Every structure is written in C-alpha cells, then in structure tokens.
Amino acid sequence: MAEPLEWSDLQYFLAVVERGSIGAAAQALQVNHSTVLRRIANLERTLAVRLFDRLPRGYALTARGHELAASIQGVPEQLD
C-alpha cells in the first residue's frame, strides 16, 4: 500500500516555491532549515519523484516540481 500524502509536506513544498529558497521557507515557517529539507525529502519519497534539483547555488524546481506547484496553487486559500 502506498504511503499517504501529508498535507503539511505540501505546505513546506509551497513555502520553498513561493519564497525561493530553503532558508527563506524555514524562516517564514519558523522552523530549522533541516526540517524543511526533511519534509521535502518525505514528499519526494511519497510521490516517488524528484521535485527539486540540488544545485551548488540552491534548489531549482524540476519539471515535475513545476507541475505539482501549478496543480496545488491556491489550495491553501481554499482550505482557509
């Protein structure tokens, strides 16, 4: 059976997408950057897809990352 998707992992993903970096997302979420990294890794493992390319100058969305970001954009506002 597949591992269930955690909404909070998606929130961490969106924070990185919206703020442009792991550090900025961590600061906005008031958590350590390692927490953001762990949650992104968990989401990638659950979806069995790489969402970010790890580059020397930071993280960049992959094509699949762009697809996921587009598909869940606006969901947090709908849930509020």
Short mmCIF file of all heavy atoms in Angstrom, two decimals, residues 11 17 37 55:
data_model
loop_
_atom_site.label_atom_id
_atom_site.label_comp_id
_atom_site.label_asym_id
_atom_site.label_seq_id
_atom_site.Cartn_x
_atom_site.Cartn_y
_atom_site.Cartn_z
N GLN A 11 2.66 21.88 2.20
CA GLN A 11 2.81 23.25 2.68
C GLN A 11 4.28 23.66 2.70
O GLN A 11 4.61 24.80 2.33
CB GLN A 11 2.18 23.40 4.06
CG GLN A 11 0.67 23.31 4.03
CD GLN A 11 0.08 23.29 5.41
OE1 GLN A 11 0.39 22.43 6.22
NE2 GLN A 11 -0.79 24.26 5.69
N VAL A 17 8.73 27.01 -2.81
CA VAL A 17 8.40 27.53 -4.14
C VAL A 17 8.11 29.02 -4.07
O VAL A 17 8.64 29.82 -4.85
CB VAL A 17 7.19 26.77 -4.75
CG1 VAL A 17 6.70 27.44 -6.02
CG2 VAL A 17 7.55 25.31 -5.01
N LEU A 37 14.09 20.60 4.73
CA LEU A 37 14.73 19.58 3.89
C LEU A 37 14.12 18.21 4.12
O LEU A 37 13.88 17.46 3.17
CB LEU A 37 16.23 19.54 4.18
CG LEU A 37 17.03 20.77 3.73
CD1 LEU A 37 18.46 20.67 4.25
CD2 LEU A 37 17.00 20.91 2.23
N LEU A 55 21.37 22.16 -6.60
CA LEU A 55 22.44 22.85 -7.32
C LEU A 55 23.39 23.52 -6.33
O LEU A 55 22.98 23.79 -5.19
CB LEU A 55 21.83 23.90 -8.26
CG LEU A 55 20.78 23.38 -9.25
CD1 LEU A 55 20.13 24.54 -9.97
CD2 LEU A 55 21.41 22.40 -10.21
#
